[in-house]
Amino acid sequence: MLPLAASISASFSRDPTLGEVTALADMMADMGKGEGEEGLTAVGWALLNRYGGAEEAASAGRPLPLERRCGADFCRVLGLAARILAGEVPDPTRGATRFHAHDELPAWAEERMPCALIGGHLFYAV
């Protein structure tokens, strides 16, 4: 297991449930629309960094409609979420907790320096 993944998994005393993996995948699919694997991975890690673990992220998320959970695209995101939570994929965001599309500039980001540009998003360790 990778060091940062170990610290994420150490924040709870059990393996993530299927519901928690699905909740992370829902958020990744929703917030990472149009992203490839690298961008989805970054979004997933930023969400975990923000919430401190799978259980916390799951309680903060909202489920996707069932029709959006069908097909190869969602299965790909679900598998990626499971790999992130298993510690098989390193955090490319360097601990980022916030992000936005690179063609936007929300007020919270105006005075901050991004720590990564991955896919179509800028990431910040806030």
Side-chain angles (χ1 to χ4, degrees):
M1 183 178 290
L2 298 166
L4 193 50
S7 68
I8 293 281
S9 64
S11 70
F12 47 96
S13 60
R14 57 176 176 66
D15 290 333
T17 65
L18 179 58
E20 291 163 352
V21 175
T22 303
L24 179 60
D26 283 348
M27 290 190 292
M28 290 167 60
D30 187 41
M31 296 179 189
K33 289 180 198 128
E35 290 286 353
E37 186 169 328
E38 183 181 35
L40 286 167
T41 298
V43 167
W45 267 107
L47 291 166
L48 282 180
N49 293 338
R50 180 183 310 166
Y51 295 111
E55 186 175 9
E56 295 81 0
S59 66
R62 61 184 187 280
L64 286 176
L66 289 178
E67 64 271 7
R68 291 216 26 223
R69 284 186 173 172
C70 298
D73 285 340
F74 187 74
C75 287
R76 180 175 58 90
V77 176
L78 187 63
L80 184 55
R83 290 179 41 228
I84 290 169
L85 291 171
E88 296 176 6
V89 181
D91 180 358
T93 71
R94 299 186 202 116
T97 56
R98 305 280 307 261
F99 58 94
H100 64 81
H102 68 80
D103 58 353
E104 300 172 357
L105 184 59
W108 62 262
E110 287 178 2
E111 300 295 321
R112 292 189 164 86
M113 184 66 123
C115 59
L117 168 61
I118 302 168
H121 291 90
L122 289 164
F123 292 84
Y124 300 79
V126 176

